[in-house]
Amino acid sequence: IVFDSSFNFLVALMLLFKFGTIFSLLPEFLYGRIAGYLSGDQIEPVSALTMIISFLCYLLMILAPKSKSEINNSLRIYGALGFIPYFLVPDLEIIVRLGISFQYLLIPYLLLTYKKKKQSLFTTFPLILFFSYKFNSSFNAFIEYLY
């Protein structure tokens, strides 16, 4: 096994989680969310609208025409994985939140494919709608948190 710097970083990050040190580095609102996850309390349920939108985005990403670029295809498929927890296990918020990291792969995918007409209808337009909905939802949650 070859140990490179990314492996060492991952080991260090896991040790920070194991000993709880990483929690002291987080802002208080993130620490509160993680404490809720660790205690088993569900903080907020996934709405029915989010489940439907996620399922439609997943289907569109999977059924979208393949690109000539292998990178675009990989970003699309791995990004589609981020939608699965929203409709398969919506009651486990921690798993749903872990799916978000896969959705971030769709941002470079959007930037690489937005000019391609073949993929605009299947992926670009639905993803813009999805990210607009998520941004609006997150912004409203942040405003509610402040009040």
Side-chain angles (χ1 to χ4, degrees), residues 22-34 145:
I22 198 163
F23 299 125
S24 65
L25 303 174
L26 296 174
E28 189 172 326
F29 73 95
L30 283 178
Y31 177 74
R33 299 287 296 227
I34 289 175
Y145 176 77

Side-chain angles (χ1 to χ4, degrees), residues 19-120:
F19 297 116
T21 309
I22 198 163
F23 299 125
S24 65
L25 303 174
L26 296 174
E28 189 172 326
F29 73 95
L30 283 178
Y31 177 74
R33 299 287 296 227
I34 289 175
Y37 294 144
L38 296 176
S39 69
D41 297 336
Q42 183 174 353
I43 296 173
E44 59 186 64
V46 175
S47 70
L49 182 60
T50 302
M51 286 190 286
I52 292 168
I53 290 172
S54 297
F55 181 71
L56 291 174
C57 284
Y58 173 75
L59 281 179
L60 288 172
M61 299 301 326
I62 295 299
L63 299 175
K66 289 188 177 184
S67 174
K68 293 177 183 176
S69 169
E70 193 61 37
I71 292 173
N72 291 350
N73 289 330
S74 296
L75 287 172
R76 179 177 53 84
I77 296 299
Y78 285 120
L81 292 176
F83 295 112
I84 293 175
Y86 281 93
F87 56 88
L88 283 184
V89 286
D91 52 331
L92 296 174
E93 186 178 5
I94 187 77
I95 303 299
V96 170
R97 298 298 176 214
L98 289 174
I100 292 173
S101 59
F102 287 108
Q103 292 172 0
Y104 286 130
L105 294 172
L106 295 171
I107 294 172
Y109 174 80
L110 274 174
L111 296 174
L112 293 170
T113 62
Y114 77 97
K115 289 185 178 180
K116 298 179 181 175
K117 293 179 185 178
K118 189 170 151 183
Q119 290 162 325
S120 292

